[in-house]
Amino acid sequence: MNRAQRGKLALTAAALGASLLTAGCGYITPQQTSHQYSASDGIRADLGPLQLRNILIVSTGEDKPGRLIGAVYNSSSKDVKLTVNGAKGSQTEVPVKANSYTLLNEDSDEAILSTTGGKPGSLVDVKISENGTNVSNTVKVPVLDATLAEYKDYVPTPSPSATSSSASPSADSSASAGSSASSSASAGAESSASATPSATATATSR
């Protein structure tokens, strides 16, 4: 993560903490510090005890994997798990400790949706739910790619297992072809061997 992106996420986390401390202030007179807004390219959403900030998906294409990045804050006194459901049954989960937050950056476990469901530059419908108070909602999340340098390191890369599995059919085909060739050669040799005595007997009789 570059310095600008790390600072942006850190400021988001600090703003979340400040908003909780000032939640009781300004009941009669609105305070400027209680007005929250999205300070980045992502969206903000409140879901039960969870506050989602600067949430977006980084991907290279509609049918490609997408990585969820941003910040999730838990204002409750118990651990809560955020579940994100995307296109074509894709799903990822984000655990958040009590009275703490999770930054979805390179220092945390990657939150990957197997299918993004939208091209870079579009908004995709994503269902979010939490198991603290069992609240769910559907939000529109922006999809971005590596056009912006700060998101380059977040583009999901194919897993080694996917690469090896795609190579397996070729290997199996080669092995099968080799086995067939070996069988053909063996059959030819046996045929020649069986023909040799007959030819010898004919020559002897003459």
Side-chain angles (χ1 to χ4, degrees), residues 5-22:
Q5 185 67 5
R6 183 180 291 106
K8 188 180 294 182
L9 290 175
L11 286 174
T12 298
L16 286 169
S19 66
L20 291 177
L21 291 174
T22 58

Side-chain angles (χ1 to χ4, degrees), residues 70-87:
V72 184
Y73 192 90
N74 178 11
S75 61
S76 72
S77 58
K78 64 179 182 179
D79 297 350
V80 177
K81 179 174 64 180
L82 170 70
T83 300
V84 180
N85 293 280

